[in-house]
């Protein structure tokens, strides 16, 4: 598994040479492909090769591209990364409603717990109320505790006048961070042989990443915590500077806790995907879900 996350901001030429990514500008920079986890191309003048795309797909490297507003709007995913893709697809199709509801209950409980931890780490009130809400989540969350918790949580975290629909730098930063993590999750889902359009709870016919939108829920609070540490509701600008976007992209280097161990975000995502694969194959019904920690970048020994 690679560990480097690369952001391309300037006009560069990218190609592959001797199993290394070559980034050309005034000088050449070479990075071994085996070290790369994700690449974000923000500048629309960047030149890439078809062979580079093929190698990224082969190695499971997630490649993001951005729109005219420099927001991530696409990710390259491998098509054939698992020897049992058809088996996993059948398991997804055949998964019964009771299993799906129990798994969704686990996801929502952990999401609300992480929201509680986010308020706690931010020094905000309301953490205990969210923990109480965790105990109210039923199978399939049929009483919609998630929505009630979200409304309560965002007002406590960012201010009573905050709403997710506002054109504000907080929402711009949240959307940017969520998009990065969503792409990483989609890549992991494909690498574990599953179909990302077949969700547990999300079922839109217009969404190719329903399962990624299920998996992202307990990961959202790490973006929320980072954004809360950088911005507040009193700020009036809504444009993300290159420096802000570099910081948001750096969230992929932070740690969360999973099964009692501190792991980099990528590994937490892979662990959750692997546990869902096991649940589909009736090996277990407990998902490996991430627990929020104080923001800390992962360090390699």
């Amino acid at each position: 598994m690679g560990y480097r996350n690369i952001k391309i901001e300037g006009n560069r030429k990218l190609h592959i040479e001797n199993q290394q990514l070559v980034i050309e500008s005034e000088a050449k920079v070479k990075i071994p492909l085996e070290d790369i986890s994700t690449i974000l191309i923000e500048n629309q003048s960047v030149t890439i090769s078809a062979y580079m795309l093929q190698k990224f797909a082969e190695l499971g490297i997630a490649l993001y591209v951005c729109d005219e507003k420099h927001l991530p709007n696409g990710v390259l995913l491998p098509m054939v990364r698992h020897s049992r893709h058809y088996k996993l697809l059948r398991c997804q199709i055949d998964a019964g409603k009771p299993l799906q509801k129990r798994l969704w209950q686990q996801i929502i409980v952990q999401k609300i717990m992480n929201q509680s931890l986010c308020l706690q780490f931010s020094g905000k009130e309301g953490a205990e109320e969210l923990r109480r809400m965790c105990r109210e989540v039923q199978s399939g969350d049929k009483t919609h505790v998630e929505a009630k918790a979200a409304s309560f949580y965002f007002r406590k975290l960012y201010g009573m006048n905050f709403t997710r629909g506002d054109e504000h730098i907080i929402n711009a930063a949240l959307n940017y961070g969520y998009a990065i993590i969503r792409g990483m999750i989609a890549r992991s889902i494909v690498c574990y042989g599953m179909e990302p359009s077949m969700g547990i709870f999300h079922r839109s016919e217009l969404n190719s990443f329903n399962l990624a939108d299920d998996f992202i829920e307990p990961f959202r609070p790490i973006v929320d915590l980072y954004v809360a540490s950088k911005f507040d509701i009193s700020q009036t600008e809504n444009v993300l500077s290159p420096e802000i976007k570099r910081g948001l992209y750096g969230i992929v280097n932070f740690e969360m806790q999973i099964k009692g161990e501190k792991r980099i975000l990528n590994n937490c995502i892979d662990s959750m995907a692997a546990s869902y694969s096991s649940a589909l194959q009736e090996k277990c019904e407990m998902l490996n879900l991430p627990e929020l920690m104080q923001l800390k970048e992962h360090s390699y020994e």
Side-chain angles (χ1 to χ4, degrees), residues 154-182:
F154 279 116
R155 292 200 304 272
K156 290 293 185 181
L157 185 60
Y158 298 122
M160 294 303 293
N161 295 324
F162 175 80
T163 62
R164 278 289 284 135
D166 292 341
E167 288 191 10
H168 192 278
I169 195 167
I170 289 177
N171 279 318
L174 291 175
N175 293 338
Y176 193 97
Y178 294 158
I180 295 297
I181 295 178
R182 186 178 187 244

Side-chain angles (χ1 to χ4, degrees), residues 7-22:
K7 188 169 184 283
I8 308 295
E9 297 177 352
N11 187 354
R12 302 287 186 267
K13 182 178 180 181
L14 311 181
H15 66 275
I16 303 298
E17 184 179 297
N18 297 325
Q19 297 301 304
Q20 294 181 313
L21 172 66
V22 180

Side-chain angles (χ1 to χ4, degrees), residues 31-245:
I31 304 171
L33 291 177
E34 63 184 2
D35 291 350
I36 301 174
S37 174
T38 66
I39 294 181
L40 174 64
I41 297 178
E42 188 177 85
N43 192 306
Q44 296 189 334
S45 299
V46 170
T47 302
I48 61 178
S49 69
Y51 180 64
M52 186 193 84
L53 297 178
Q54 179 256 307
K55 291 299 291 183
F56 282 7
E58 177 185 320
L59 298 172
I61 297 171
L63 174 69
Y64 298 89
V65 293
C66 296
D67 60 19
E68 294 84 354
K69 296 181 180 179
H70 305 284
L71 296 175
N73 73 338
V75 60
L76 173 72
L77 298 176
M79 288 185 64
V80 184
R81 284 283 294 169
H82 197 280
S83 59
R84 298 288 185 271
H85 174 70
Y86 180 71
K87 175 184 177 181
L88 268 298
L89 180 61
R90 288 303 320 172
C91 287
Q92 283 182 269
I93 294 171
D94 294 340
K97 285 290 184 183
L99 173 62
Q100 292 173 342
K101 289 181 178 180
R102 288 193 296 273
L103 296 178
W104 185 241
Q105 179 185 25
Q106 293 176 44
I107 289 171
I108 294 307
V109 167
Q110 191 61 49
K111 176 186 180 179
I112 298 174
M113 179 57 68
N114 285 345
Q115 290 174 332
S116 171
L117 290 168
C118 181
L119 292 182
Q120 178 183 322
F121 297 150
S122 301
K124 308 288 186 179
E125 297 179 350
E128 286 302 321
E129 177 65 16
L130 287 175
R131 288 189 175 92
R132 184 191 64 77
M133 290 186 188
C134 284
R135 297 189 289 272
E136 297 177 359
V137 180
Q138 301 178 25
S139 178
D141 190 26
K142 60 185 179 182
T143 56
H144 307 292
V145 177
E146 178 195 12
K148 300 171 190 174
S151 177
F152 174 85
Y153 164 72
F154 279 116
R155 292 200 304 272
K156 290 293 185 181
L157 185 60
Y158 298 122
M160 294 303 293
N161 295 324
F162 175 80
T163 62
R164 278 289 284 135
D166 292 341
E167 288 191 10
H168 192 278
I169 195 167
I170 289 177
N171 279 318
L174 291 175
N175 293 338
Y176 193 97
Y178 294 158
I180 295 297
I181 295 178
R182 186 178 187 244
M184 293 174 65
I185 292 172
R187 184 269 306 270
S188 184
I189 288 169
V190 171
C191 289
Y192 276 89
M194 293 173 287
E195 170 53 53
S197 66
M198 297 189 64
I200 302 169
F201 173 79
H202 292 88
R203 294 279 179 170
S204 172
E205 295 180 358
L206 304 177
N207 185 2
S208 298
F209 299 102
N210 285 308
L211 187 55
D213 288 337
D214 291 330
F215 280 10
I216 197 175
E217 298 299 354
F219 290 96
R220 289 183 188 275
I222 194 171
V223 179
D224 305 338
L225 181 58
Y226 177 85
V227 172
S229 72
K230 301 294 182 181
F231 312 104
D232 61 59
I233 195 67
S234 66
Q235 293 176 258
T236 56
E237 70 273 19
N238 59 11
V239 178
L240 300 179
S241 67
E243 182 180 358
I244 291 173
K245 285 183 280 190

